[in-house]
Amino acid sequence: RQGLAIVATNVGATAWAVRHEREAILANAGDDTTIAQAVESLAHDSARRTTLGSAARTRFEEALTVDAMEKTMADLYARCRH
């Protein structure tokens, strides 16, 4: 929501919420090396931080707000009715 670069573990619905190399850098749970490398990489690459952060903000607004989820559910319901 803040438009910051994300480093996260690929558990649960994380990979749906933020996609690897599009809105975030995802690592397997317990892969401390990849997580550390991702954080270090972002610490030294402001352009990549900005790109990932902006994409994450857009993803949040388009898919993860209450309004966006409500629209998704309404669209799904309408398709099921027809």
Side-chain angles (χ1 to χ4, degrees), residues 9-79:
T9 53
N10 189 8
V11 296
T14 302
W16 172 82
V18 290
R19 297 160 295 188
H20 182 60
E21 296 295 340
R22 290 176 70 182
E23 297 95 16
I25 299 173
L26 300 180
N28 291 325
D31 187 351
D32 299 338
T33 300
T34 298
I35 293 168
Q37 289 172 342
V39 171
E40 185 174 354
S41 169
L42 289 173
H44 299 289
D45 190 343
S46 63
R48 189 168 182 217
R49 283 194 314 269
T50 299
T51 299
L52 287 173
S54 177
R57 176 66 186 178
T58 299
R59 174 75 173 154
F60 172 78
E61 291 169 350
E62 291 177 352
L64 301 171
T65 64
V66 171
D67 289 342
M69 289 185 189
E70 182 180 82
K71 182 180 180 324
T72 298
M73 294 304 294
D75 291 348
L76 177 61
Y77 179 73
R79 284 195 313 265

